[in-house]
Amino acid sequence: MRREIPLAICLIMGVVMTVQFFVPHAASQWLFDNMMKWLIIIAIFALMLGLLNLIKIHTQKVINRRKDWPYSIVALVGVVGTLITGFWGIGADSPFMVLYNYIQIPMQATMFSLLAFYIASASFRTFRARTFEATLLLIAAVIVMLGRVPLEKYLGGQWLPDLAEWVLDYPNMAAERGIMIGVGLGAISMALKIILGIERSWLGGGEKG
Amino acid sequence: MHISTSIWVWIAAALTLCIYSFLYKDNPFYKFAEHLLVGVSAGYLLVIEFTNNIIPNLFTPLKTGFTTLFTEGRATGDLAAIIPGLLGVLILTRLLPKVGWMSRWALGFYFGAWQGLIITGSMQASILAQIYGTFIQGNHPVFSIALFGDMVNKFGWGTLIGAISGPLMILGVIATLTYFFFSTEHKGLVGGTAKIGIVFLMVGFGASFGYTVMARVSLLIGRINFLLSDWLGIVH
Amino acid sequence: MNKIVTLLAAWLVVGAAAVFAADAPGGPAVVEARDFPNDAGGSITVSWPASPLETGKDFKAYEVHRKGPGDAAFAKVGETAPGELTFKDEGLQNGARYEYAVYAAATGQAPANLGSARATPRGQWYNTDKTNVLVGIVFVVGIIAFFILRAKAGATLFVRKIAGLEAVDEAIGRATEMGKPILFVSGLSDASDISTIAAMTILAKVAKKTAEYETPLIVPCYDPIVMMVEKEMVREAYTEAGKPDAFEEDSVFFITQSQFGYVAAVDGIMVREKPATNFYMGAFFAESLLLAETGAATGAIQIAGTDRVTQLPFFITACDYTLMGEELYAATAYLSRDPLFLGSLKGQDWSKAAIIGCLLIGTVLLIISVDAGTWIATLFKTAAEGAG
Amino acid sequence: MNFFDKFLKIDRRYIFILVAIGVVIPLVFPLGLAVTVSPPVKNVYDEIESLKPGTPVLVSVDFDPSTEPELGPMTAAVLRHCFKRKLPVILMNLHPGGPGLALAISDKVAKETGAKEGVDYCFLGYKAGGTAVILSIGRDIRLSYPADYYNKPIDQIPMMKNIRSYSDIGLVVTLSGSTFPDVWVAYAHERFGAKIAAGVTAVMAADYYPYLSTGQMIGLIGGLKGAAEYEKLIGVPGNGLKGMDAQTIIHLLIVLLIILGNIAFLLMRRQQRRGEQTRPSGA
């Protein structure tokens, strides 16, 4: 009961959604459109669990005065405050959107922009001509970097941007396609094993039994 | 332009600097910003999902569905919203240790449906489309004998590249695929081809790395512009 | 196998016939109206022969008029430019009969009637545009199933060395010696993403080892469903290892589903807890380098695995070991050596061999004739719309 | 630890400082590094130069904040050029995320150039429908836009008096981070013969080159680099040139770091090898 029923549901849904793909009929479209909504709804219920987990962990930190507990208060105020302002209203000028625009967006964008620093430090630290392969990687990276900025005047014309574009369009694209085809096969194989109940770790148990 | 007088711009600027302080080292300012961001973003998402999905796709159809059922005695498609509603409740059983296993029914539905979508989607987008793209680029075959003829007749960089790029693309895809053979030892023909595959992979990774720098620097420019112009008003 | 060959042959013949039959230039001989194929119904395509008026200076447009059930007279539903000899009429009622009349309109002249035709829109039960997807799935699934069955029957199967997975034991051992925790990030996508599932299966194996050694494990989650599943999985691993008491409920926890909020927190965990080993498995996006560079700065051994082509370069450069693309999916088979999984891996390899075969055939055909090569390529062309 | 070893293990925070300086300096003091103008950008400029003063230009801001860093600067540059040439500008959006950006950019450029709302430019706002909106402008712009963004009837806007369809418009400029340029070409150009120029992100630019060779587009501005080129053509440095300065510096900085790192690495390896050779065997 505890394992067989979920496995059976999984099998049925997997087959149904595979077949659905090939059926253009209105009934099939109805199923597809609704399925997309349903899957999101299931995920949102899980999100509530996630939020409860977040709140629980930080509350425990505060109660037990664990290391860095004052910051847990910040997280709790953040989550509860956003929820309260959110159920108040989410119009364009609502407190909720102000929080979003002036707290969440700037911090997210700043985290994202840290990449400019990290991409520089990673290039310095790791692009070393240790082996033949590493050297290829390094040279391709340097060519494309130089080809992307306007240096035609200093580096003798258009050849560098052209070369950079060619490297991106051919060798790079070939490698990407090769990876993607392999990934597609791996994904189909994994999905098949899940539908057939061979891979059942999503049940939460070990892989067998 | 002058320094900003908006309290919110000041808050945004202060939080921006808090995050940047992590570049020096972990510190209380970063910890504060980090925890605030986690809390606010988690709450934001639930609110948005609730208003954009739960209300229109669960509550509203349930309400109209049951209203028509009870007032007109007619079952409509809206009642199908019972399905995700029940599955959602099953997910919540995880909170109760005794019946927590029932959440697996909902998970079976969720994982099963996605596997069906993944099988068809992967075949279409990751396999067939990539094979097609290997042969046809921008509505033209990637290579032809005619291009080699051009190369012989008017030898030069342009015609050489034009002729060899296509075959190189096909070779690259085949060699990369060969690298991913798992059930044979990489020796002999397979081993040699796989080595060529590694060459393509490394050139591809390097190129892709170099290509991304510009987008990342753009983000930094965006943030610095915010600090210098919106907040401090130094530049305009 | 014979069936597959027959199916493939049939598919090639049908495909060839379709390619050569389609697109006769200049439109049909008379006005035609047909149900639009491969849809849920509700639309009809009207096509007509080119009018001699079209080349004239005064030509305005082709006009399509329609009379549906209950309509007293024809009414104009659309017009097309010169040379455009088809029109798709949408929003119709399935099963109802519609009549169409086409006119060529030119200034200063009465519109010339080109003729009329009738049709009834219907929904279809099979989309013929997706036959290549069907054949592909039948083929790949067939091969994989075949090798799984063979493995079940006891065939021995070989798997080549994968460096990133060889290192898993060593990495866990190192953490144990140092008395430091292991961090496992299972990607920034949700459970609908197959790479996330691959990551979860790897976590199951890693958790079993950390349970044996009683090495602390930190699993911050981006997706709540993933958290639900992984919590059970890790608990189970500890029970199986005979150490259910060593399992800490809070070692698997949810952070936030915001990309950079999540990364901010995980970066914080890295610099504060200083894990000896970081695993990054699953789907990653722009944040990959934010994780990997921070991890490298803390001196952790880093093992990454992703199927996201755009993020592989960052893991390859900043991590000690990286599982590339399909290697991520091979990990479960590799770590468990379960014959069924190894069998499916063998099936994937044969599928790859078949695809390489297709690429070679296509190349040969392209050399012989551009038309033949292009034709074989179009067999792999997929309908523009996404799933569904 | 010798010098090379120390250099190779340099604290990464020094690199962070270099990156920060490399971005801040050009933003505060534009360096004006040489930018070579590419033909597709020059074509857009030439087309606008060739329009008679008073010929309206339709500028469709079809992007949202996610691509603003790349597309914002070129939008500003094109507007500036039109205002300078006294070409009335009709601003509109096919992307729902566009109106706020279009307003902010046009306000700023208008303030700097002295252009007046309603006389030198007007803002029609967002209309849903994409293709349908483009087609309707082929008949009469009033079909989709009976009134402007502020709900003022079109006929009461002085500059709109004689503008009905594409035949009254000298050029359509679409700025987009998605596939709107395709739709503009397919309908406004193919059906109604409108001249189309597009501004797109750097990644997308290559996809649109075919339209240039067939003449379906008269020109193309790609990414921040394209914006920088356009700013150079009109002689007013803006965020494009400044941004491109910063980009060039960071790219060169990274390449330099890689080269220095490798020189140090190779020299160190050579030293180590020599050390191994001179050491007595068995040690």
Side-chain angles (χ1 to χ4, degrees):
Chain A
M1 269 291 275
R2 295 192 176 193
R3 286 180 181 281
E4 286 73 14
I5 291 183
L7 283 173
I9 296 175
C10 178
L11 172 71
I12 294 167
M13 291 316 298
V15 173
V16 166
M17 290 317 287
T18 309
V19 171
Q20 184 282 328
F21 176 82
F22 298 98
V23 182
H25 199 272
S28 156
Q29 288 309 311
W30 180 89
L31 177 68
F32 179 80
D33 294 343
N34 278 288
M35 186 59 70
M36 287 297 129
K37 294 177 191 162
W38 298 349
L39 292 172
I40 292 173
I41 290 171
I42 297 175
I44 299 171
F45 274 91
L47 184 62
M48 294 180 207
L49 282 188
L51 238 59
L52 286 176
N53 182 264
L54 179 77
I55 292 172
K56 186 187 114 190
I57 294 225
H58 284 289
T59 313
Q60 279 174 349
K61 260 194 183 172
V62 175
I63 292 172
N64 300 332
R65 293 285 188 273
R66 296 244 295 276
K67 200 180 134 209
D68 286 338
W69 64 270
Y71 300 104
S72 289
I73 298 180
V74 177
L76 288 171
V77 169
V79 75
V80 176
T82 316
L83 288 179
I84 291 173
T85 54
F87 286 101
W88 197 295
I90 63 166
D93 293 322
S94 60
F96 178 76
M97 285 319 281
V98 171
L99 282 183
Y100 177 69
N101 286 327
Y102 291 97
I103 293 190
Q104 193 176 336
I105 292 272
M107 280 198 282
Q108 282 178 345
T110 311
M111 275 309 293
F112 202 171
S113 76
L114 291 180
L115 279 167
F117 297 98
Y118 285 8
I119 211 166
S121 66
S123 319
F124 175 71
R125 188 171 60 80
T126 62
F127 282 3
R128 301 273 154 82
R130 284 194 181 86
T131 58
F132 174 64
E133 288 89 18
T135 315
L136 282 177
L137 186 122
L138 185 167
I139 292 173
V142 168
I143 287 174
V144 173
M145 277 185 221
L146 291 178
R148 294 270 289 160
V149 285
L151 294 168
E152 297 92 338
K153 234 183 196 164
Y154 312 101
L155 293 171
Q158 190 61 28
W159 68 275
L160 201 57
D162 286 348
L163 178 60
E165 202 159 301
W166 182 83
V167 171
L168 282 165
D169 285 349
Y170 289 94
N172 171 58
M173 190 56 95
E176 289 194 358
R177 287 197 203 288
I179 297 174
M180 281 171 78
I181 294 174
V183 164
L185 289 171
I188 291 176
S189 165
M190 176 78 91
L192 179 69
K193 280 178 281 185
I194 293 171
I195 291 179
L196 296 180
I198 297 173
E199 169 64 68
R200 49 180 77 171
S201 55
W202 58 270
L203 278 170
E207 67 273 23
K208 283 282 168 60
Chain B
M1 250 198 247
H2 300 288
I3 195 158
S4 172
T5 49
S6 155
I7 176 80
W8 288 108
V9 171
W10 276 80
I11 289 174
L15 290 172
T16 300
L17 294 176
C18 285
I19 300 273
Y20 278 139
S21 71
F22 186 67
L23 289 170
Y24 177 63
K25 65 175 196 185
D26 190 30
N27 64 75
F29 294 106
Y30 177 75
K31 282 186 203 172
F32 174 82
E34 171 209 318
H35 283 81
L36 185 63
L37 177 55
V38 167
V40 170
S41 63
Y44 173 82
L45 212 76
L46 185 64
V47 172
I48 289 294
E49 295 285 14
F50 216 84
T51 7
N52 291 350
N53 288 304
I54 294 284
I55 293 177
N57 297 334
L58 183 65
F59 290 174
T60 313
L62 278 182
K63 202 179 138 199
T64 45
F66 278 112
T67 317
T68 20
L69 184 66
F70 291 130
T71 55
E72 301 171 30
R74 212 157 41 81
T76 57
D78 285 328
L79 284 176
I82 294 174
I83 300 173
L86 278 179
L87 292 168
V89 173
L90 283 179
I91 289 278
L92 293 181
T93 60
R94 192 49 75 91
L95 290 169
L96 310 166
K98 279 218 177 115
V99 289
W101 53 271
M102 285 172 74
S103 61
R104 286 177 182 164
W105 296 7
L107 291 180
F109 184 93
Y110 185 86
F111 281 97
W114 276 117
Q115 303 322 307
L117 294 164
I118 285 165
I119 287 189
T120 49
S122 298
M123 179 49 74
Q124 196 176 25
S126 302
I127 301 181
L128 295 181
Q130 299 308 320
I131 298 177
Y132 177 75
T134 307
F135 287 123
I136 309 287
Q137 268 191 324
N139 290 326
H140 297 291
V142 284
F143 83 98
S144 67
I145 292 298
L147 288 172
F148 277 92
D150 285 353
M151 183 186 78
V152 175
N153 294 333
K154 292 177 280 181
F155 191 82
W157 277 112
T159 53
L160 176 69
I161 296 288
I164 63 159
S165 295
L168 203 69
M169 164 78 87
I170 297 174
L171 172 70
V173 175
I174 291 177
T176 311
L177 269 179
T178 310
Y179 169 80
F180 289 108
F181 273 118
F182 296 107
S183 57
T184 45
E185 199 92 61
H186 280 188
K187 284 193 299 206
L189 181 64
V190 173
T193 317
K195 279 230 173 67
I196 301 175
I198 293 176
V199 169
F200 274 92
L201 284 169
M202 288 302 144
V203 171
F205 291 150
S208 182
F209 191 109
Y211 183 72
T212 316
V213 175
M214 184 166 269
R216 302 298 175 253
V217 175
S218 290
L219 297 165
L220 179 58
I221 293 174
R223 289 323 288 160
I224 303 275
N225 261 334
F226 165 75
L227 291 177
L228 294 181
S229 117
D230 294 8
W231 179 43
L232 294 176
I234 296 174
V235 291
H236 55 84
Chain C
M1 277 309 258
N2 274 337
K3 250 187 203 161
I4 293 166
V5 173
T6 331
L7 208 64
L8 264 177
W11 174 48
L12 290 180
V13 171
V14 172
V19 168
F20 293 115
D23 290 341
V30 290
V31 173
E32 284 178 1
R34 283 199 188 130
D35 172 37
F36 190 80
N38 297 326
D39 66 354
S43 41
I44 286 176
T45 8
V46 186
S47 46
W48 54 89
S51 159
L53 283 175
E54 187 185 298
T55 46
K57 197 161 79 47
D58 298 326
F59 184 79
K60 277 199 308 202
Y62 290 109
E63 290 182 0
V64 180
H65 294 241
R66 178 184 74 201
K67 193 174 130 190
D71 290 343
F74 279 96
K76 189 171 133 189
V77 286
E79 56 180 46
T80 72
E84 211 177 316
L85 302 177
T86 60
F87 176 80
K88 185 181 176 190
D89 193 19
E90 290 171 288
L92 306 173
Q93 202 188 333
N94 275 344
R97 205 164 165 73
Y98 293 89
E99 187 173 0
Y100 290 87
V102 182
Y103 297 88
T107 17
Q109 289 176 42
N113 190 340
L114 301 178
S116 62
R118 292 195 183 91
T120 305
R122 289 182 205 289
Q124 277 78 37
W125 287 102
Y126 175 69
N127 187 340
T128 52
D129 285 345
K130 291 176 172 173
T131 300
N132 54 0
V133 179
L134 180 65
V135 173
I137 289 175
V138 168
F139 182 77
V140 170
V141 167
I143 288 188
I144 293 174
F146 173 77
F147 281 101
I148 290 180
L149 289 176
R150 252 191 53 178
K152 227 175 187 169
T156 48
L157 297 157
F158 168 84
V159 58
R160 76 159 158 92
K161 225 174 102 166
I162 301 175
L165 295 169
E166 288 284 290
V168 168
D169 275 335
E170 175 207 329
I172 297 173
R174 188 178 107 114
T176 314
E177 273 168 33
M178 295 169 73
K180 283 183 176 178
I182 285 173
L183 176 75
F184 194 101
V185 177
S186 40
L188 278 87
S189 186
D190 53 25
S192 69
D193 201 313
I194 196 86
S195 53
T196 309
I197 301 179
M200 297 195 305
T201 62
I202 297 172
L203 173 65
K205 306 282 178 282
V206 170
K208 209 176 274 174
K209 299 229 162 84
T210 58
E212 277 168 31
Y213 301 137
E214 294 196 30
T215 312
L217 182 64
I218 306 174
V219 187
C221 295
Y222 170 85
D223 179 72
I225 291 186
V226 173
M227 176 201 72
M228 284 171 68
V229 173
E230 290 188 341
K231 195 173 261 193
E232 288 311 303
M233 235 157 59
V234 175
R235 189 201 310 275
E236 181 82 15
Y238 276 76
T239 314
E240 266 177 47
K243 290 174 180 156
D245 297 335
F247 171 69
E248 273 187 57
E249 182 82 26
D250 293 342
S251 61
V252 184
F253 56 96
F254 175 73
I255 295 184
T256 173
Q257 224 164 8
S258 137
Q259 184 186 14
F260 291 103
Y262 177 83
V263 173
V266 174
D267 275 2
I269 292 170
M270 282 188 213
V271 294
R272 280 159 226 152
E273 311 289 335
K274 299 226 162 33
T277 304
N278 299 335
F279 286 95
Y280 312 113
M281 298 286 168
F284 290 86
F285 305 91
E287 74 291 335
S288 61
L289 190 67
L290 282 179
L291 296 169
E293 261 299 283
T294 308
T298 63
I301 282 204
Q302 306 202 87
I303 305 180
T306 187
D307 62 354
R308 292 306 194 273
V309 184
T310 46
Q311 300 311 317
L312 277 169
F314 303 106
F315 280 144
I316 296 262
T317 46
C319 294
D320 300 278
Y321 300 96
T322 305
L323 304 176
M324 296 187 276
E326 204 183 350
E327 289 177 335
L328 176 70
Y329 298 102
T332 339
Y334 192 90
L335 292 172
S336 68
R337 307 273 162 172
D338 183 317
L340 295 187
F341 285 77
L342 291 175
S344 70
L345 210 52
K346 184 114 189 154
Q348 283 162 241
D349 278 2
W350 278 102
S351 306
K352 258 170 279 176
I355 290 169
I356 291 177
C358 289
L359 289 172
L360 291 174
I361 292 173
T363 311
V364 171
L365 284 179
L366 263 181
I367 293 172
I368 298 171
S369 127
V370 172
D371 288 341
T374 312
W375 170 74
I376 197 119
T378 53
L379 294 182
F380 296 97
K381 192 172 184 176
T382 52
E385 34 131 33
Chain D
M1 223 196 238
N2 65 24
F3 170 76
F4 298 129
D5 210 26
K6 253 188 217 157
F7 177 72
L8 289 175
K9 295 205 173 104
I10 190 173
D11 191 324
R12 58 187 197 142
R13 284 176 287 196
Y14 291 111
I15 297 175
F16 295 165
I17 291 174
L18 290 178
V19 171
I21 294 173
V23 170
V24 172
I25 289 197
L27 292 185
V28 183
F29 311 103
L31 309 176
L33 293 175
V35 169
T36 322
V37 178
S38 59
V41 178
K42 183 79 165 49
N43 289 345
V44 181
Y45 175 84
D46 288 346
E47 188 65 35
I48 292 182
E49 277 293 296
S50 72
L51 293 175
K52 262 197 228 111
T55 317
V57 174
L58 180 71
V59 176
S60 194
V61 179
D62 304 332
F63 58 91
D64 67 354
S66 68
T67 45
E68 200 273 338
E70 275 193 88
L71 300 175
M74 66 174 76
T75 311
V78 168
L79 285 181
R80 202 179 295 266
H81 190 201
C82 291
F83 292 159
K84 199 175 103 188
R85 295 266 304 120
K86 296 280 172 227
L87 306 172
V89 174
I90 309 160
L91 278 161
M92 58 174 272
N93 311 104
L94 290 180
H95 193 301
L101 298 168
L103 264 182
I105 297 169
S106 58
D107 273 359
K108 198 173 162 231
V109 178
K111 228 175 255 169
E112 284 166 30
T113 53
K116 279 193 189 65
E117 213 271 312
V119 183
D120 301 306
Y121 74 102
C122 65
F123 180 46
L124 302 183
Y126 165 71
K127 265 279 147 19
T131 312
V133 177
I134 294 175
L135 283 173
S136 73
I137 299 174
R139 291 169 184 281
D140 192 333
I141 198 163
R142 286 158 189 77
L143 291 174
S144 277
Y145 289 105
D148 74 353
Y149 181 72
Y150 310 98
N151 264 327
K152 190 174 178 187
I154 293 288
D155 290 319
Q156 291 176 23
I157 301 171
M159 65 161 272
M160 292 299 288
K161 207 182 275 167
N162 297 320
I163 304 173
R164 302 211 83 83
S165 67
Y166 293 115
S167 46
D168 307 313
I169 292 169
L171 178 68
V172 175
V173 185
T174 166
L175 302 132
S176 164
S178 54
T179 53
F180 285 111
D182 296 296
V183 190
W184 280 105
V185 166
Y187 295 97
H189 176 75
E190 295 300 330
R191 286 267 170 105
F192 302 105
K195 281 187 178 167
I196 312 284
V200 299
T201 62
V203 180
M204 291 160 57
D207 296 342
Y208 287 104
Y209 288 148
Y211 283 145
L212 294 174
S213 52
T214 56
Q216 288 163 297
M217 266 183 195
I218 59 105
L220 182 70
I221 312 175
L224 201 59
K225 195 172 169 184
E229 293 170 24
Y230 209 92
E231 286 170 6
K232 191 188 172 189
L233 285 169
I234 59 171
V236 184
N239 283 338
L241 275 171
K242 284 194 251 172
M244 220 50 218
D245 280 352
Q247 291 283 7
T248 310
I249 289 177
I250 302 299
H251 278 75
L252 286 178
L253 171 71
I254 294 178
V255 170
L256 192 72
L257 285 171
I258 295 176
I259 293 173
L260 289 178
N262 275 288
I263 292 174
F265 171 71
L266 293 175
L267 288 175
M268 190 182 74
R269 196 158 71 174
R270 194 197 265 172
Q271 266 182 2
Q272 278 173 351
R273 284 210 186 122
R274 226 177 260 154
E276 277 160 24
Q277 281 162 5
T278 50
R279 228 172 286 155
S281 57

